[in-house]
Amino acid sequence: RRKEDAAKDVTADDTQTQASSELYELEFNNLSDAEKATWYKLARRDKIRYKKEMATYEPPVDSSSGCRLLLMGRFFPFDSEGIPFADTTLTIKEAQNSSHIGEDGGTGLNVWDGAQLLLRYIEKVPNIVKNKRVIELGSGCGIVGVAAAICGCKEVIMTDLAYALPLMRENVDINRVAWKDTDVVVSCKECDWFQPPPVDELLGHYDSKADVLLVADCVWLSSLIAPLLRTLKLYTTESTDVFITYQQRGKEAHDLFMEGIHNLFDVVDVDTLKEADLAKPDVFHLLHCKRKVS
């Protein structure tokens, strides 16, 4: 019986992988010739780095189901030497991923597609962060928080587990020249969703509330869904705009997240192509959330 169930799981995973690949191909075909040329240039460099890294990387295991989680290859090409962003060049260093680091499987050391989707949305619609006080959860390498700083936020507090902070701070320093002539305040702080610090401690002042809260591709381990939702509730008010990029990778985590997020927030699945002329695979979602009125 167990062998039959395992065979069914493998077949389901293969079907999901094939469907995701077909969606990626469809979205790629919709790109302009110039966008395709840029994609190929960056993808060649990315493929070499990705192949070297994945030779020693073991995908993390969902503790609830015991299954290894499918982490798709990139749709948005990435180059650690720099990618064009908002009339400047955004340079983000990565580190060797290690599945034994952190409660999140050590994924905070790499740039994922969900982060690139959110930074491109911020680039297209900078008013969502401009002159705003921003908190980012699960910042990882810091690419989204740095993007918010470049696009004119008043303050951005980037957060993650302790192991991710040195690389995050290094990336902030590398890109600081991009906002050197502004008054934006950028900080990197530890935030464990199981024991999140009070919001006034995180922001460093008593009149404490965030205007915007960002979460990029942090929904994939079912064991982290409840702590993430509690942290979202702690750090938001009815006036806070929450933007979450999301890719479904496992049914249990997906069901838990969707039930929880809709219980706490009014949720809009943003049509990025219509609102921001931003193409993406259908497997990715950008959610704009507002706390439900009590």
Side-chain angles (χ1 to χ4, degrees):
R1 180 65 181 176
R2 288 182 179 178
K3 290 182 178 179
E4 291 176 359
D5 290 342
K8 290 179 181 178
D9 289 341
V10 170
T11 301
D13 286 345
D14 289 343
T15 301
Q16 181 183 5
T17 301
Q18 181 180 354
S20 297
S21 298
E22 290 172 354
L23 285 169
Y24 274 41
E25 182 177 359
L26 178 62
E27 295 295 338
F28 178 77
N29 290 336
N30 288 333
L31 297 177
S32 68
D33 290 343
E35 289 172 327
K36 286 180 181 178
T38 300
W39 192 95
Y40 280 123
K41 179 180 178 181
L42 296 179
R44 279 194 294 270
R45 297 180 183 177
D46 191 43
K47 183 178 180 180
I48 295 171
R49 183 208 60 78
Y50 185 77
K51 183 177 181 180
K52 181 179 179 181
E53 176 183 303
M54 293 308 290
T56 58
Y57 177 66
E58 293 185 4
V61 175
D62 188 324
S63 59
S64 299
S65 65
C67 297
R68 292 199 178 276
L69 294 169
L70 177 66
L71 302 180
M72 296 296 295
R74 285 178 171 134
F75 173 78
F76 299 98
F78 173 78
D79 186 349
S80 59
E81 294 181 7
I83 57 175
F85 178 80
D87 298 323
T88 187
T89 298
L90 186 58
T91 304
I92 298 293
K93 293 180 63 175
E94 296 182 290
Q96 174 69 41
N97 216 328
S98 182
S99 59
H100 69 277
I101 297 177
E103 295 158 351
D104 60 355
T107 55
L109 302 177
N110 294 105
V111 174
W112 300 97
D113 262 342
Q116 293 208 74
L117 172 60
L118 189 50
L119 82 90
R120 292 303 174 192
Y121 186 72
I122 292 171
E123 180 184 36
K124 296 276 190 177
V125 193
N127 285 340
I128 67 171
V129 297
K130 192 173 181 62
N131 297 320
K132 305 288 181 63
R133 180 175 292 130
V134 178
I135 293 176
E136 185 191 4
L137 300 181
S139 300
C141 298
I143 191 169
V144 173
V146 168
I150 292 172
C151 288
C153 69
K154 179 191 300 181
E155 179 179 11
V156 56
I157 299 95
M158 301 153 63
T159 70
D160 212 314
L161 296 173
Y163 81 87
L165 296 182
L167 181 60
M168 188 192 307
R169 288 172 176 142
E170 183 177 357
N171 284 324
V172 168
D173 290 339
I174 291 171
N175 292 279
R176 197 176 294 276
V177 66
W179 63 83
K180 67 176 182 178
D181 296 326
T182 70
D183 295 326
V184 61
V185 177
V186 180
S187 57
C188 305
K189 299 185 179 182
E190 182 177 359
C191 179
D192 184 339
W193 301 342
F194 286 89
Q195 294 180 310
V199 67
D200 57 347
E201 179 181 322
L202 198 64
L203 292 172
H205 34 74
Y206 291 103
D207 183 19
S208 297
K209 73 169 187 175
D211 301 306
V212 177
L213 198 146
L214 305 173
V215 185
D217 208 3
C218 292
V219 180
W220 58 290
L221 284 175
S222 56
S223 59
L224 297 179
I225 301 300
L228 172 60
L229 292 171
R230 288 195 297 269
T231 305
L232 287 172
K233 184 176 181 180
L234 178 66
Y235 290 164
T236 57
T237 67
E238 292 174 2
S239 65
T240 309
D241 288 292
V242 181
F243 293 92
I244 302 173
T245 52
Y246 167 64
Q247 177 188 3
Q248 181 179 349
R249 293 188 176 92
K251 184 179 185 304
E252 182 175 2
H254 171 75
D255 292 345
L256 285 171
F257 174 69
M258 295 307 292
E259 179 182 2
I261 201 72
H262 280 90
N263 284 339
L264 280 174
F265 296 91
D266 293 318
V267 181
V268 175
D269 196 338
V270 178
D271 186 339
T272 59
L273 189 60
K274 181 179 179 180
E275 291 196 14
D277 193 28
L278 178 60
K280 65 174 180 60
D282 289 342
V283 294
F284 287 99
H285 300 273
L286 195 155
L287 308 179
H288 182 193
C289 310
K290 298 281 285 191
R291 280 281 293 274
K292 291 182 180 292
V293 178
S294 301

